[in-house]
Amino acid sequence: MSNKPIAAVLAIHGGAGTLLRSKTTAAKEAEYLAALERILLAGQAQLSAGAPALDVVVEAVRQLEECELFNAGRGAVYTAAATHELDASVMDGSNLQAGAVAGSSRTRNPVLAARAVLLHSEHLMFTGAAADAFAASHGLEQVAPEWFGTELRLTQLRAAQAGQRGARLDHDVETQSSGPIDDARKLGTVGAVALDAAGHLAAATSTGGMTNKQVGRVGDSPIVGAGCYANDTTVAVSCTGTGEAFMRICAAYDVSAQMAYLGLPLQAAVDSVIQHKLAAVGGSGGLIAVAANGDVSLSFNTEGMYRGYARVGEAPVMAIYGDVS
Amino acid sequence: MSNKPIAAVLAIHGGAGTLLRSKTTAAKEAEYLAALERILLAGQAQLSAGAPALDVVVEAVRQLEECELFNAGRGAVYTAAATHELDASVMDGSNLQAGAVAGSSRTRNPVLAARAVLLHSEHLMFTGAAADAFAASHGLEQVAPEWFGTELRLTQLRAAQAGQRGARLDHDVETQSSGPIDDARKLGTVGAVALDAAGHLAAATSTGGMTNKQVGRVGDSPIVGAGCYANDTTVAVSCTGTGEAFMRICAAYDVSAQMAYLGLPLQAAVDSVIQHKLAAVGGSGGLIAVAANGDVSLSFNTEGMYRGYARVGEAPVMAIYGDVS
């Protein structure tokens, strides 16, 4: 390693998945890339001003939740009961403190609820109405459950349910309004990882789950060690994909464990988890990670992942397809 | 290692914690040891007959749930709202399949619900009413929530709540009816790990949580990698203690990771997790583990842990205090 000072860096993702077979429009692609860039630039400015990694990842995920393009917060997918159940987690690599909520349906920004648990509770994880009650008791905005819904997501639910009943999916409806990655088969989550100027790492993950998921299902997003992990001595990680597979292999923590115990560099540890271990249990998806030494990895075993990173002092880099890492 | 064939083995725990300062009775101690022995003998007989590790750990935990002495199933502690919320998980080391429920309140045996999720769902974890609905849909017995309660646990809740309000605890009530480990400060969980004759590992964990816990809180017991983990190539682990600390350090999976990546023998990996990493985040409790080579570890950083193990062909070993491992 050189003696060059390590620049603070933020990486974000907006879900991984299969590319649409029918063409998406250039305008749609540009819309996704612009959203990623806007959020990266905001985080870069925070890091530049000396903000802690925890604040930066929480704000980046809050903005991803607010953006209807991504499956978290507003624009989250529907459950089989046409409701929303939102999961989120945050972890502070400087002290291994973490907070998580699962099955939230009233708190406007689940990632803020997760941070409130981290900051204000002796507990680490709350589920359902208790998660929202805790968030409300700490002043977080509550909304009607309908607030999270959009016409597009409802159309996707109806299409998924029609598909279950054997009906033909109306792909035209999908592709006209969907993004470059097939929403109907997208493994939707958003997340952020950051290294700040003080050398601290943090990670945050948030999701609406899977379209048409059974009510009460919890995936990897709110699980420390599965969908989210941060430790200043190794790495910060946020995952997206088939959650159950990430849970079975403790994906986020395993990146850290392979770096700590095997001495692997970041990309080798990530490749082991995403290209080998995840595949071995039939999982698909990806993760973003930033190591204590400033290395960044944006990796997936799907056709695409909405992703990007921004180092302080450099132009942000955004991508959707498998062409650049 | 010798060429001696590895004997199948079952280990169980019934929670870790602080010993009562006032004397418990010899009769109470004997009651706990007898319960542990009865469950170990039943599991030993199953293993002897060639039963798979997964079946053996599920049955052992089911019996621990049925036993009022332990904080899981019947005899589970109360939440702050004087309700019960039960969590459980199971993992099959032969294929890394897992199942978990959190916040169950109707299914008589939460560990059976966790196994039903493992066997019958594409998902890994269900929470709340959805967990019970899933269990019921697979034929598992549902009970009135009151079924889990006992007079002793209700007394403990009232004592804890009186303590919060600054009132003096009535320790006499506690000690007359409680076991050797202080129920008021016991880190209650039950669990089992086993190695079967075919060389497969499995783990199961179940809990009623913490007395007077906030409704909706989820600890480590239903979290794969935190309170439960099994992998045929390394180890099966079940944890008990301050759940949040076990979640932050991914305790159960970390034992496996240190064995796999550092090549540590079982006890060295367990010591690293329980004596060092757990303590570093302010956690207390213990775990039971059986390695692929048949090694067993029953370790804790508290004053005691209800525990025992039984190898096929040998007499079961049970203990409560810190005198034997």
Side-chain angles (χ1 to χ4, degrees):
Chain A
M1 299 194 3
S2 76
N3 290 321
K4 192 175 146 192
I6 294 165
V9 59
L10 167 69
I12 61 176
H13 71 82
T18 306
L19 302 185
L20 273 184
R21 292 295 163 218
S22 42
K23 281 188 289 292
T24 186
T25 63
K28 266 288 166 195
E29 280 187 22
E31 188 181 353
Y32 277 83
L33 292 171
L36 294 170
E37 182 177 37
R38 187 183 70 244
I39 295 167
L40 285 168
L41 287 170
Q44 192 183 47
Q46 283 182 284
L47 286 171
S48 216
L54 183 66
D55 290 357
V56 174
V57 296
V58 167
E59 173 59 16
V61 169
R62 190 194 67 78
Q63 291 191 33
L64 286 159
E65 288 176 344
E66 290 287 316
C67 181
E68 290 184 21
L69 296 175
F70 303 109
N71 170 23
R74 183 156 172 84
V77 299
Y78 285 87
T79 69
T83 57
H84 292 96
E85 292 185 343
L86 309 172
D87 306 333
S89 59
V90 298
M91 189 161 187
D92 182 343
S94 71
N95 54 18
L96 304 186
Q97 294 276 9
V101 293
S104 164
S105 63
R106 292 268 178 186
T107 303
R108 175 167 174 154
N109 292 109
V111 73
L112 298 184
R115 183 173 60 174
V117 176
L118 182 155
L119 292 176
H120 304 301
S121 176
E122 61 176 343
H123 297 317
L124 191 153
M125 185 176 188
F126 286 105
T127 61
D132 292 323
F134 185 86
S137 76
H138 289 278
L140 296 182
E141 183 180 350
Q142 304 293 294
V143 295
E146 300 73 37
W147 183 83
F148 299 104
T150 65
E151 282 301 314
L152 173 61
R153 299 302 186 203
L154 199 55
T155 302
Q156 290 168 351
L157 173 68
R158 298 310 177 205
Q161 293 179 329
Q164 280 187 331
R165 291 191 301 269
R168 194 172 154 280
L169 294 185
D170 183 352
H171 277 297
D172 289 341
V173 171
E174 284 286 327
T175 55
Q176 279 166 20
S177 48
S178 180
I181 294 178
D182 186 354
D183 268 329
R185 288 181 290 168
K186 199 180 79 166
L187 309 162
T189 310
V190 305
V193 293
L195 170 68
D196 66 25
H200 297 309
L201 293 169
T205 304
S206 180
T207 191
M210 298 157 53
T211 293
N212 201 29
K213 70 179 176 183
Q214 287 187 51
V215 170
R217 175 259 186 184
V218 176
D220 66 316
S221 299
I223 307 296
V224 167
C228 181
Y229 185 76
N231 186 325
D232 276 6
T233 66
T234 49
V235 66
V237 181
S238 173
C239 300
T240 177
T242 48
E244 285 73 12
F246 284 77
M247 295 164 88
R248 290 164 63 195
I249 65 169
C250 304
Y253 178 67
D254 198 42
V255 175
S256 174
Q258 294 198 45
M259 293 176 71
Y261 302 145
L262 295 177
L264 292 188
L266 175 64
Q267 192 59 48
V270 169
D271 285 344
S272 167
V273 170
I274 295 297
Q275 307 303 340
H276 300 288
K277 292 194 171 193
L278 184 64
V281 295
S284 58
L287 64 79
I288 56 172
V290 55
N293 70 355
D295 286 352
V296 168
S297 173
L298 316 168
S299 298
F300 45 98
N301 68 6
T302 48
E303 292 178 349
M305 180 167 78
Y306 298 117
R307 65 198 186 278
Y309 69 96
R311 289 186 197 280
V312 168
E314 298 179 15
V317 177
M318 291 79 60
I320 299 175
Y321 310 113
D323 45 1
V324 299
S325 70
Chain B
M1 299 196 0
S2 74
N3 290 321
K4 192 175 144 190
I6 294 166
V9 59
L10 166 69
I12 63 175
H13 70 81
T18 306
L19 302 185
L20 273 183
R21 292 297 163 216
S22 42
K23 282 187 290 292
T24 186
T25 64
K28 265 288 166 195
E29 281 186 22
E31 188 181 354
Y32 277 83
L33 293 171
L36 293 170
E37 183 177 36
R38 186 183 71 244
I39 295 166
L40 285 168
L41 287 170
Q44 192 182 46
Q46 283 183 284
L47 286 171
S48 217
L54 183 66
D55 289 357
V56 173
V57 296
V58 168
E59 173 58 16
V61 168
R62 191 194 66 79
Q63 291 192 32
L64 286 159
E65 288 176 344
E66 290 286 315
C67 180
E68 290 184 21
L69 296 175
F70 304 109
N71 170 23
R74 182 156 171 85
V77 299
Y78 285 87
T79 69
T83 56
H84 292 96
E85 293 185 342
L86 309 173
D87 305 334
S89 59
V90 297
M91 189 159 186
D92 182 342
S94 72
N95 54 19
L96 304 185
Q97 295 276 9
V101 293
S104 164
S105 63
R106 292 270 178 184
T107 303
R108 175 167 175 155
N109 292 109
V111 72
L112 298 184
R115 183 174 59 174
V117 176
L118 181 155
L119 293 177
H120 304 301
S121 177
E122 61 176 342
H123 297 318
L124 191 152
M125 184 177 189
F126 286 105
T127 61
D132 291 323
F134 185 86
S137 76
H138 288 279
L140 296 182
E141 182 181 349
Q142 304 293 294
V143 295
E146 300 72 38
W147 183 82
F148 299 104
T150 64
E151 281 301 314
L152 173 62
R153 298 301 186 205
L154 199 55
T155 303
Q156 289 167 352
L157 173 68
R158 298 311 176 204
Q161 292 178 331
Q164 279 186 332
R165 291 191 300 269
R168 195 172 154 280
L169 294 185
D170 183 353
H171 276 298
D172 289 341
V173 171
E174 283 286 327
T175 55
Q176 279 167 21
S177 48
S178 180
I181 294 179
D182 186 354
D183 268 329
R185 287 180 291 168
K186 199 180 80 166
L187 309 162
T189 310
V190 306
V193 291
L195 170 69
D196 65 26
H200 296 309
L201 292 169
T205 304
S206 180
T207 190
M210 298 157 52
T211 293
N212 201 30
K213 71 178 176 183
Q214 288 186 53
V215 170
R217 174 259 187 185
V218 176
D220 66 315
S221 299
I223 307 295
V224 166
C228 181
Y229 185 75
N231 186 325
D232 276 6
T233 66
T234 49
V235 67
V237 181
S238 173
C239 300
T240 177
T242 48
E244 285 73 12
F246 284 77
M247 295 164 88
R248 291 164 62 194
I249 65 169
C250 304
Y253 178 67
D254 198 40
V255 175
S256 174
Q258 293 197 45
M259 293 176 70
Y261 302 145
L262 295 177
L264 291 187
L266 175 63
Q267 191 58 48
V270 169
D271 285 344
S272 166
V273 170
I274 294 297
Q275 307 303 339
H276 300 288
K277 292 195 171 194
L278 184 65
V281 295
S284 56
L287 64 78
I288 57 172
V290 55
N293 70 354
D295 286 352
V296 168
S297 173
L298 315 168
S299 299
F300 46 97
N301 69 4
T302 48
E303 292 177 349
M305 180 167 79
Y306 298 117
R307 64 198 186 278
Y309 68 96
R311 288 187 198 280
V312 168
E314 297 180 15
V317 177
M318 291 78 60
I320 299 174
Y321 310 112
D323 45 0
V324 299
S325 71

